[in-house]
Amino acid sequence: MRNITFYLLLLVLPSQSQTNISLDEVKQAGLHIVEITTVNSEEPEGESIESPLFPGSYNIQYTNKVPCQVVISKDGETIYDSGAYVKNTSGATIRINGNTTAYFSDPLNMPYKLKLEKAADLINRGDDDKYKDKEWRLLKDAVSLNTIIGLKVSQLLELEWTSSYIPCNVIINGDYRGCYLLMETIKRNKSCRIDCDKQTGYIIEKDPYWWKEDKYFSSSWYKDDNVYRYTWKYPDSDIVTEEQEEYIQQYIESAEESLADGSYESYIDITSFAKWILVHDIVGTRDSWGSNMYIKKYDNTENTKLQLPCVWDFDSSNEITAGSFSNLHIQKNEYFYALFNSIQRTFAEEYVSLWNSKKQTVYDYVVDFLNQYAGSEEGKQLDASRLLYNKRFGYAYPTVYHDVQQQQRWYNNHIQLLNEKIQLIDTKISDIQVSQQNQIGQHHVKYYSISGIEVKDNSRKGITIQKFANGKAYKTIH
């Protein structure tokens, strides 16, 4: 795989605090407190880099992994202590994590990744060892309810895995850094995260930031589109073999070809794909580039298919017109456009069936959650923490109550209108006859390529699918 040369522009250094926040103030807010003390008070740092694909667009690349000790407390009681950093024994490392979010963040208020030297369950779900892992994230997502609601919808639709989290306040080297969500990362862990075979399984990401990685691969679907490539989550990119890479790349190619000819059920798990896109349709995702798609294949046998095991990134929730499909649903370069427009209607049927079986549960839960959250203990603690956050960095994040009102208005309107739109999805086209000639006497015809994408006419060479107002469809060959 080739390497991309980055353009290093700006060293991200700590800035001066607007207002100091005392530990007592943080304790009074009531959320969990994550205290991180680094060796020699070293700060996690990064460099600003310009995208080679979109000049003038910038990103952050971390430049150091800082050894540290992590202590988590609640109501004055210590619930976790990593101990001082000793490689492979105790402590942890912390580094900057994220892309665009990190670039637009205050240098002292970055998203972070924690890697423990000894696996633990940082959100304290009891004594069960199954929740222990070394890798955790600190996301700046406690300043809105988008991620909290998105993860709840993921649970309701029963995706394979939904990241668990706790809202928390973070202190680094005695300095208050804001309120975060402490979350599980996307990782292979058969007991509590994403399960795939240790020797022959795969987890890859359709990644718009592939150019930051040393190893990646492309596919025919995106050969004319430099936005996406596939990068490695499991196995790690530095240990993946050429044989493993060839296998998953060829399988992806075959799956993409199946989207074109309608045989996709042989390659993708349609239920997991339907759940994934339905989550994004329900929460109203605007961003298609940054909405991370992680693809899993349990092993390298013919018995398993591609799955979408989890959703991640809710930054752009509620940023489309209420009642619209997410941009991931409708953009022509996405798999879902081909799936929804394919003459083979199995995926569309699965999606509509899933929605009809879950829509009342989802609506009732979201309404109930929003009605209660502002007045809940967690809601009040998050509200107090946001005030500290605003005071510390000069931000103007709204109250939790304000968030709740905004979310209530949007979801009350969106769910009803979305339901009307979903009921219009055509699920009835089945077996398609093949004809060597155009059908005569039919009107209101629409033409589709074999990938299910509508085209202007059927004068193009190759196979064209004609769909008529009476519901019939034919393949014609030119």
Side-chain angles (χ1 to χ4, degrees), residues 124-259:
N124 195 34
R125 285 165 286 185
D127 296 328
D128 195 335
D129 286 347
K130 76 175 185 177
Y131 295 116
K132 292 182 177 181
D133 201 282
K134 290 185 176 182
E135 297 185 18
W136 299 82
R137 293 277 295 275
L138 284 167
L139 297 187
K140 296 172 53 178
D141 290 10
V143 294
S144 82
L145 300 181
N146 286 355
T147 296
I148 293 174
I149 293 175
L151 293 173
K152 296 297 185 184
V153 173
S154 171
Q155 289 179 321
L156 292 171
L157 294 188
E158 301 178 271
L159 274 77
E160 176 186 333
W161 174 72
T162 298
S163 177
S164 295
Y165 68 92
I166 53 171
C168 63
N169 283 304
V170 174
I171 296 173
I172 299 180
N173 296 327
D175 184 30
Y176 177 66
R177 301 297 175 88
C179 51
Y180 287 73
L181 296 183
L182 174 62
M183 298 181 63
E184 296 175 298
T185 62
I186 293 169
K187 186 185 173 187
R188 180 197 172 273
N189 184 326
K190 64 179 297 183
S191 65
C192 64
R193 298 192 186 179
I194 299 175
D195 184 20
C196 67
D197 186 79
K198 188 173 183 179
Q199 303 301 325
T200 62
Y202 297 87
I203 304 171
I204 58 175
E205 179 183 2
K206 193 190 77 172
D207 191 352
Y209 301 104
W210 55 269
W211 44 271
K212 294 173 65 176
E213 304 296 331
D214 291 332
K215 182 170 284 191
Y216 54 85
F217 65 90
S218 185
S219 66
S220 297
W221 192 273
Y222 296 112
K223 66 180 180 180
D224 298 321
D225 181 353
N226 285 332
V227 173
Y228 296 119
R229 296 290 182 267
Y230 293 98
T231 57
W232 294 90
K233 297 298 289 185
Y234 187 85
D236 289 337
S237 60
D238 56 350
I239 63 172
V240 66
T241 66
E242 185 175 328
E243 181 182 8
Q244 288 173 314
E245 188 170 347
E246 288 178 356
Y247 172 82
I248 196 63
Q249 184 170 6
Q250 182 54 55
Y251 197 93
I252 291 286
E253 291 280 0
S254 297
E256 291 174 351
E257 291 172 6
S258 77
L259 298 179

Side-chain angles (χ1 to χ4, degrees), residues 334-401:
E334 298 289 348
Y335 291 163
F336 299 100
Y337 185 87
L339 285 166
F340 279 112
N341 289 282
S342 174
I343 293 300
Q344 171 55 260
R345 305 306 293 162
T346 309
F347 178 80
E349 291 172 4
E350 179 71 14
Y351 174 90
V352 173
S353 176
L354 177 64
W355 166 253
N356 287 335
S357 68
K358 295 289 187 178
K359 62 184 178 183
Q360 195 62 51
T361 301
V362 170
Y363 178 78
D364 290 346
Y365 175 83
V366 172
V367 169
D368 185 60
F369 172 81
L370 291 171
N371 284 340
Q372 297 184 37
Y373 191 71
S376 68
E377 180 180 11
E378 181 179 288
K380 293 176 181 177
Q381 293 171 349
L382 185 55
D383 219 18
S385 300
R386 286 190 188 181
L387 290 175
L388 297 180
Y389 202 10
N390 290 341
K391 180 181 176 182
R392 168 66 174 84
F393 291 102
Y395 295 150
Y397 288 112
T399 64
V400 171
Y401 179 71

